[in-house]
Amino acid sequence: MSKTNWYVVHTYSGYENKVKANIEKTIENRKLQDQILEVSVPLQDVIEVKNGVKKKVQKKMFPGYVLLNMEMNDDTWYVVRNTRGVTGFVGPGSKPVPLTDIEMKAMGIKKDDVVVDFEIGDMVEVVSGVWENTTGIIKQINTHKQIVTISVDMFGRETPVEISFTDIRKM
């Protein structure tokens, strides 16, 4: 897998969530999950006072922009650039410029690398969440999203289930 970076896409104002949903649907349809890892509309909690009542609401940190953690190539550029609601990548001309580590740290995006003590084929037990006390075999590990796909036996069939790193324990 090639190096992925965070890129910024400019969208029509108010269309950020629609663009995010459209890109995620295209990723699924074209099987680009290994090239476009994450689509994000950063939100921040804000306290609004209306009619003397304080209310906690989420506002977009960057209205008109969507962040993408992706591998830049002709296919991914084309898919994102031609998504309805996208006006273009941020960068000179049509050349997208990835965010620097400093810019990402300022936005609180950079995730710490997580070291795990399990690997594909290991038997694990789910220790919390909906699948608590379920055991399964790890079929896939996604370090970027910090999830594993385990195979569990449900109604006599092997079923893949995505579980967070923090919700499993090696047996």
Side-chain angles (χ1 to χ4, degrees):
M1 186 165 84
S2 298
K3 174 108 171 79
T4 61
N5 288 305
W6 283 91
Y7 294 90
V8 181
V9 173
H10 192 261
T11 67
Y12 294 128
S13 188
Y15 279 74
E16 300 89 352
N17 292 327
K18 185 79 172 149
V19 166
K20 178 181 185 218
N22 288 342
I23 292 172
E24 286 173 341
K25 188 171 280 185
T26 306
I27 291 169
E28 199 173 307
N29 292 342
R30 295 194 179 202
K31 308 221 181 313
L32 295 170
Q33 293 93 334
D34 57 336
Q35 295 176 44
I36 303 176
L37 304 175
E38 193 174 343
V39 184
S40 175
V41 178
L43 301 170
Q44 63 183 358
D45 290 328
V46 177
I47 306 233
E48 282 186 349
V49 179
K50 282 189 182 173
N51 301 328
V53 179
K54 284 185 179 181
K55 189 177 174 187
K56 189 176 181 180
V57 295
Q58 287 195 318
K59 295 260 188 189
K60 293 178 183 87
M61 287 174 72
F62 311 106
Y65 295 94
V66 173
L67 303 178
L68 292 152
N69 185 8
M70 62 185 271
E71 175 186 323
M72 185 56 69
N73 60 40
D74 290 344
D75 290 339
T76 56
W77 182 90
Y78 180 84
V79 163
V80 174
R81 182 62 190 90
N82 291 293
T83 299
R84 180 177 290 177
V86 172
T87 58
F89 279 94
V90 172
S94 62
K95 176 138 177 51
V97 176
L99 292 173
T100 64
D101 288 341
I102 295 163
E103 291 167 328
M104 290 175 29
K105 196 169 191 167
M107 290 189 280
I109 289 178
K110 195 70 173 170
K111 289 183 181 163
D112 297 329
D113 289 335
V114 176
V115 178
V116 292
D117 67 340
F118 41 78
E119 54 192 45
I120 293 172
D122 284 351
M123 180 71 110
V124 293
E125 179 184 10
V126 182
V127 293
S128 64
V130 181
W131 296 94
E132 189 172 355
N133 298 325
T134 305
T135 58
I137 297 168
I138 296 177
K139 297 293 182 189
Q140 192 176 351
I141 299 175
N142 185 331
T143 53
H144 292 285
K145 290 186 177 178
Q146 298 185 2
I147 57 172
V148 294
T149 302
I150 64 170
S151 186
V152 296
D153 187 42
M154 203 161 52
F155 308 117
R157 299 176 101 172
E158 290 290 310
T159 306
V161 177
E162 288 186 345
I163 307 281
S164 169
F165 284 175
T166 57
D167 293 340
I168 61 170
R169 180 181 67 213
K170 190 172 176 181
M171 292 182 71

